Amino acid sequence: MVEEQRKRVEEQMTKIVEDIDRTHLRKMQADMHRCAATCCDDKTSSIQRVHNCVENCSIPLNQAQQYVQGEFERVQNRLQRCVMECNDKIKDQMGPNPTQSQVNQYSTEFEKCATKCVDTYCDLLPQLEKTMKSFLASKQFQ
């Protein structure tokens, strides 16, 4: 059950990352390479100037990638906190010497709680994707 939930989260995140890459990041990467090629075409500039030019070309893409990574980390932390809360609740209820039957019951309760966390997390992902795409489409990275 836990593996199934992990896979569900992973699949949804992968889908969003691939979509954001196709719709925004890939174009930025192509722009970065074109910009860097233009820097290298300048035969009159010093090595340092060309190097700085190439580095400046990568800034927008790096910022966009950091933004996307940060947003995913933020919501993943939220999911982890939720699951940790489930774990804490179960530990508080369990007592010092639970029977096997109680352990089984608590395991089931934990799985239900953790599944609710994953459901909530997965429900957040479409809005997160929309927000990220809107932010990336803004002039801030172009």
Side-chain angles (χ1 to χ4, degrees):
M1 186 73 156
V2 173
E3 181 63 24
E4 182 181 309
Q5 296 304 321
R6 185 198 62 75
K7 187 176 178 184
R8 186 171 141 215
V9 167
E10 190 176 290
E11 285 173 355
Q12 286 203 14
M13 285 181 55
T14 298
K15 179 186 162 289
I16 292 171
V17 168
E18 287 179 1
D19 192 41
I20 288 174
D21 178 63
R22 273 191 303 278
T23 59
H24 292 85
L25 299 179
R26 214 172 282 181
K27 181 188 179 312
M28 294 177 79
Q29 190 170 27
D31 292 345
M32 176 198 70
H33 287 295
R34 281 189 283 277
C35 175
T38 301
C39 296
C40 294
D41 286 341
D42 182 357
K43 304 294 183 213
T44 62
S45 291
S46 68
I47 292 172
Q48 188 60 44
R49 187 174 225 157
V50 171
H51 177 75
N52 290 342
C53 180
V54 169
E55 278 195 8
N56 286 336
C57 293
S58 68
I59 290 172
L61 177 63
N62 289 340
Q63 288 175 339
Q65 288 172 329
Q66 288 172 357
Y67 165 73
V68 170
Q69 182 178 351
E71 288 300 293
F72 274 119
E73 286 175 3
R74 184 179 60 79
V75 294
Q76 282 178 310
N77 287 340
R78 193 169 164 179
L79 173 61
Q80 288 172 343
R81 286 192 309 270
C82 183
V83 172
M84 285 174 23
E85 182 68 27
C86 294
N87 192 41
D88 290 344
K89 282 182 195 175
I90 297 302
K91 282 184 179 179
D92 291 344
Q93 293 174 11
M94 201 181 280
N97 295 313
T99 65
Q100 186 58 45
S101 172
Q102 289 173 317
V103 168
N104 293 343
Q105 176 191 344
Y106 290 130
S107 293
T108 300
E109 285 182 40
F110 172 77
E111 283 188 17
K112 286 180 184 176
C113 183
T115 298
K116 278 186 183 178
C117 294
V118 170
D119 290 344
T120 300
Y121 175 82
C122 289
D123 289 345
L124 289 172
L125 290 178
Q127 182 59 43
L128 175 67
E129 180 179 16
K130 184 178 177 183
T131 301
M132 287 192 294
K133 283 181 173 183
S134 175
F135 189 74
L136 291 170
S138 73
K139 298 290 182 206
Q140 296 189 13
F141 294 115
Q142 298 176 7

